[in-house]
Amino acid sequence: MTYLPPPAEELRFLDAELRRLDAHRAQLLARRTWLVSVLQSAAAGPATPPFGGPAPTTAPRPEASAPRVQNVLLVLGGVLLTIAAMAFTLVSWGHLGIAGRAAVLGTVTAAALAAPVPLLRRGLRSTAESVAGLGLALTVLDAYALHEAALADTDGTAYAAVAATVLAGAWAAYGTALGALRLPRPAALAAAQLPLLLTALAADAGPHGISAALLLTATADAAAALLVTSPALRPVRIAAANGAYGTGGWGLLGALWLSWTAPDPGAAARAAALLLPASAVALTAAWRIAGTARTAEPGRTGATSGTDVPAASGTPSPALPSFSPQPLTTTLPTATALLGALVLLAALGGVLRVTLPGGWAVPAQLLGALALLPDPRIPRMPEQVRRGVAWASAAVQGLALLWALPLVAVALFGPLGRADRPWSGGPADARDAVTVHAPWLSHSGPALAVLGLLAGALALLVRNATWRQRALAGAAVLAWAAALSLPAALELPYVVGPLLLGLLTVAALALPVLPPTGTVLALVTSVDLAFLALADRTATLTALSALTVLYAAASTRSRLAPVTAPAALAYATALACATGAAAGWQAPHTALLVLVVPAVAVAVAPRLATTARVACEVTGVVAAVVAVGLAVVDAPVLALVLSSLGVLAGATATRPDRRAAGYAAAALFALAAWVRLAAWEVTAPEAYTLPVTVPALLVGAWRRRRDPLTGSWPAYGPGLAVTLLPSLAALWRDEGWPRPLLLGSAALLITLLGARHRLRAPLVLGGAVLVLTALHELAPYLVQFADALPRWVPPALAGLLLLALGATYERRLGDVRRVRDVLGRMS
């Protein structure tokens, strides 16, 4: 049978086993810590274990590696030797004869160029690179010395071109002979950037020749960067790529400037002749780099398969490239293709600018950009190149849109100038209607063409399922902008402008574009229509009536109601104001007509959804403010308006979700009563406060009846303060006896009621007002009593008060000392 120990013995066994495991775990952790410190330590030599020995120490690590120190020393040495050679050549040259000069420079140069051979055999590659660099620098000094000594009469620029050519060839041969050196061949490539440029300068070729020389040099660099594929020649590829981008960039800037400033088609054609080959080189390089990157991808077989991975959904969009981050192997061909396409479009734009008149070069340039969009069905074009070309086309499209936007701005904001001259008479035509305070643009026709082309491009070319709806919305916006600008651009009759804007409003509300886009376009168009119609009285009334009916009808659609319902109320408010002005009414009488709008808002709001309801109520409040502003100059009419608004607020407060409107109703009724009293020239404050106090006290009593825990201050405090405090303030300016008698009696009654029912607010407010009223009545007698007192009495009373305070303070200090002594004697 299995022996089962008693629980106490088993518990002791488990505790002992746990302690043994804890001790073993601590030992293992200490050993692990020591091993980690040994692995992280840079100091050589045996480390002392942590068991019974001192803790291991870590030697300070060097801040620079030995190869780095070596390279720094070699570079500094080569630079110093080069500086010394330059000083010898430029300063001390004249102290030697021709033979001495040739012997010294030839010997030093030959020695410097030959020294890398034994150094490479000994494995001193870095030293050989440094000495070779010194030898290359000495060859430049040899060329300078040769010119100064024997060829001083030759042209310096031409000689420099020849010398650069010879040095580039010599350095390339030297680097090929000593293939282990990395410096000579990139240096030869750097020297090769100068011959064509210096030749053009020497021949006085002009800006076109200089740009051509730079672009030809960049083409050669690009060819070298693309054709040199050996890993051993990677420095040559890097130098060639830098030369292609650097030299080509300067050449492109010059050619672009020549194209931009070309005065005639011939000059523009010559500049285009420079830009087109550069564009071809950039696009070819992008295609080649993209193909190389595709070949280098894992899982790719074949160098130029040309098969692109299809998009996740739909056909790739040519006008909207991807925004996902790409590695350098993807961004480099994309950027190069973007540059090449932009250069191509710039060449086309330079020719069109001097060929087509009146701004029509921009639509033609836009057509070229749209034609440049790559067809996604062409499988051989790499995706990176397609993306770069699409970005270039999109950039030109954006610039064309910016160029056309001033026309839209004039057509859209021009009618706002009618606000300061309403009903001044119908303008001569639609252009005159929008140019009240702004000049018209001379390129309105080309700008319209740009808007139409961009709208068509977005509608027809973007087929990607993700971007399709957004593209259609953008096309709708551009088509709307073109239609908005059409009457003014064509100088159509004035009546065509409002009619077209009305049709645009209806179309924007009815067309199945993105709902926010259509609603916003309709709202903007209707506002433009309202201001454009201000030129004529009949047009104003007709337009506002039509807009009110249109937006009221559109509010039956739930998705449009949050915008169309408040818009209908806003146009109804404007229609009411315009109707009153057309009828010749005074502003206060027009306010009575505006009151119809808040009434309609109160009636319609409960039938709308939550968002539309809030917007409708806010618009009703704004209309109420307009009515109050119109009636403010006539007190009786203002009182009527305020009381009517109070009725509307009270009707709103009957809804369970708008109980807070009852406070607004009470405030409006009080304001209406006060305005009416002011119109009657009543100055007694009680006439203004009592109509507020009585309802407030009744509401407070009803509240305490419903909730017995309600305090007296929130229930009765506001109502009592509204009357007592203004009456008390008026009491101190009143010398008669009726107000003190009535106020004192009311305060006494309120105090007694507060004491009877044990209510704090009536007791405090009534008692305070009663005391202040009594003081007001006794004030003359107190003044007489103060005049009867001797002059020494106030100082004496003040002295007695100070003595009493001092004695009290001293007594408190004595009590504190006694307590401290008692505590000190306690053990």
Side-chain angles (χ1 to χ4, degrees):
M1 295 179 64
T2 302
Y3 172 72
L4 297 176
E9 184 178 353
E10 185 177 2
L11 180 62
R12 286 194 299 271
F13 174 78
L14 291 177
D15 290 339
E17 189 69 14
L18 289 174
R19 285 192 296 271
R20 187 182 66 81
L21 291 175
D22 290 339
H24 187 60
R25 182 174 184 275
Q27 183 179 6
L28 293 177
L29 288 175
R31 181 69 179 178
R32 180 184 181 279
T33 303
W34 175 76
L35 292 173
V36 170
S37 65
V38 168
L39 293 176
Q40 293 179 348
S41 175
T48 304
F51 305 110
T57 58
T58 302
R61 302 180 61 182
E63 295 182 356
S65 62
R68 182 171 298 180
V69 174
Q70 163 197 300
N71 293 335
V72 170
L73 294 176
L74 291 175
V75 170
L76 288 177
V79 170
L80 291 176
L81 288 176
T82 303
I83 293 174
M86 292 175 62
F88 170 77
T89 304
L90 298 176
V91 179
S92 302
W93 183 255
H95 300 290
L96 299 175
I98 296 177
R101 302 171 188 175
V104 171
L105 276 181
T107 303
V108 174
T109 304
L113 293 176
V117 177
L119 292 175
L120 289 175
R121 292 174 182 173
R122 296 176 178 269
L124 302 176
R125 180 176 177 177
S126 298
T127 306
E129 293 280 1
S130 179
V131 176
L134 174 61
L136 298 181
L138 288 174
T139 58
V140 177
L141 295 178
D142 290 339
Y144 170 77
L146 179 62
H147 178 268
E148 293 297 323
L151 303 174
D153 296 334
T154 61
D155 180 63
T157 306
Y159 177 80
V162 175
T165 305
V166 173
L167 289 176
W171 291 355
Y174 180 71
T176 304
L178 300 179
L181 296 178
R182 296 182 178 180
L183 180 61
R185 281 175 287 194
L189 195 60
Q193 309 301 309
L194 299 176
L196 290 179
L197 175 62
L198 294 175
T199 302
L201 292 174
D204 196 13
H208 289 82
I210 294 174
S211 299
L214 290 172
L215 292 175
L216 285 175
T217 303
T219 301
D221 292 334
L226 294 174
L227 297 177
V228 175
T229 58
S230 174
L233 299 177
R234 186 170 179 270
V236 178
R237 294 189 63 188
I238 295 176
N242 291 331
Y245 284 106
T247 308
W250 286 108
L252 283 178
L253 288 177
L256 290 173
W257 176 255
L258 292 173
S259 177
W260 182 259
T261 59
D264 51 57
R270 289 195 299 272
L274 296 175
L275 293 173
L276 291 178
S279 172
V281 170
L283 292 175
T284 304
W287 197 302
R288 180 68 180 268
I289 297 171
T292 304
R294 287 156 55 88
T295 306
E297 290 180 6
R300 290 280 186 181
T301 58
T304 57
S305 61
T307 303
D308 293 331
V309 179
S313 61
T315 306
S317 171
L320 295 170
S322 173
F323 291 94
S324 59
Q326 302 292 336
L328 181 62
T329 56
T330 304
T331 56
L332 183 59
T334 300
T336 307
L338 170 64
L339 177 63
L342 286 177
V343 170
L344 176 61
L345 293 174
L348 175 64
V351 175
L352 293 174
R353 183 182 58 83
V354 296
T355 304
L356 298 178
W360 286 101
V362 177
Q365 178 86 351
L366 179 59
L367 283 175
L370 294 176
L372 192 64
L373 284 173
D375 191 345
R377 293 172 294 183
I378 299 177
R380 295 187 58 83
M381 179 178 288
E383 179 61 27
Q384 299 91 335
V385 178
R386 181 183 292 113
R387 185 182 298 113
V389 174
W391 272 112
S393 177
V396 174
Q397 295 175 43
L399 292 176
L401 178 60
L402 291 177
W403 180 81
L405 282 182
L407 173 67
V408 182
V410 173
L412 181 62
F413 298 107
L416 301 181
R418 294 284 171 183
D420 61 347
R421 53 181 73 177
W423 301 346
S424 57
D429 51 40
R431 181 177 297 182
D432 185 44
V434 299
T435 54
V436 180
H437 298 295
W440 186 248
L441 303 176
S442 59
H443 56 271
S444 56
L448 277 178
V450 167
L451 295 174
L453 288 173
L454 289 175
L458 285 177
L460 299 177
L461 298 181
V462 180
R463 297 297 182 182
N464 187 282
T466 304
W467 291 92
R468 181 62 178 167
Q469 291 298 322
R470 301 177 187 176
L472 289 178
V477 172
L478 292 172
W480 166 83
L484 186 71
S485 309
L486 184 63
L490 301 181
E491 293 187 88
L492 299 177
Y494 164 72
V495 69
V496 176
L499 289 177
L500 181 60
L501 292 180
L503 293 177
L504 282 177
T505 304
V506 175
L509 288 174
L511 289 179
V513 295
L514 291 178
T517 305
T519 307
V520 171
L521 291 180
L523 188 61
V524 173
T525 309
S526 62
V527 172
D528 206 46
L529 170 59
F531 278 97
L532 189 64
L534 284 176
D536 183 72
R537 178 183 303 177
T538 304
T540 301
L541 297 177
T542 304
L544 292 177
S545 301
L547 290 175
T548 303
V549 174
L550 173 64
Y551 277 100
S555 300
T556 57
R557 302 167 66 180
S558 58
R559 68 181 182 87
L560 300 178
V563 176
T564 56
L569 294 176
Y571 286 124
T573 304
L575 177 61
C577 296
T579 302
W585 293 354
Q586 298 292 329
H589 298 92
T590 304
L592 299 177
L593 186 59
V594 176
L595 285 177
V596 177
V597 178
V600 173
V602 171
V604 171
R607 297 176 175 82
L608 300 176
T610 303
T611 306
R613 182 188 311 152
V614 174
C616 186
E617 290 171 345
V618 171
T619 309
V621 171
V622 173
V625 173
V626 172
V628 172
L630 292 174
V632 73
V633 296
D634 192 334
V637 178
L638 179 60
L640 178 59
V641 170
L642 291 173
S643 60
S644 301
L645 294 176
V647 172
L648 296 177
T652 304
T654 58
R655 292 159 45 191
D657 59 337
R658 292 293 184 267
R659 297 298 187 193
Y663 297 104
L668 289 170
F669 281 129
L671 288 174
W674 293 349
V675 171
R676 173 53 64 181
L677 291 173
W680 288 337
E681 298 182 356
V682 175
T683 57
E686 290 78 10
Y688 295 87
T689 58
L690 285 176
V692 179
T693 296
V694 174
L697 293 178
L698 292 177
V699 172
W702 173 75
R703 183 178 178 184
R704 280 182 58 83
R705 182 179 294 275
R706 291 190 59 186
D707 185 7
L709 297 180
T710 304
S712 61
W713 280 109
Y716 302 117
L720 294 175
V722 165
T723 293
L724 292 177
L725 297 181
S727 297
L728 183 62
L731 174 66
W732 290 89
R733 300 190 303 269
D734 191 358
E735 297 181 356
W737 60 270
R739 178 174 277 114
L741 179 60
L742 294 176
L743 182 59
S745 301
L748 177 61
L749 178 60
I750 292 171
T751 304
L752 294 177
L753 289 175
R756 171 67 179 81
H757 297 284
R758 298 181 182 179
L759 299 177
R760 186 176 301 172
L763 186 62
V764 173
L765 288 175
V769 173
L770 181 60
V771 170
L772 292 175
T773 303
L775 288 176
H776 174 269
E777 294 303 310
L778 294 176
Y781 303 102
L782 294 176
V783 172
Q784 293 177 4
F785 178 72
D787 291 339
L789 288 176
R791 296 295 179 91
W792 55 268
V793 172
L797 293 177
L800 291 174
L801 177 62
L802 293 176
L803 287 176
L805 291 176
T808 304
Y809 185 71
E810 184 179 6
R811 187 178 63 182
R812 296 292 184 269
L813 289 178
D815 294 341
V816 171
R817 293 191 189 96
R818 285 194 296 273
V819 172
R820 184 187 61 186
D821 294 340
V822 171
L823 293 176
R825 290 193 297 270
M826 295 175 63
S827 59

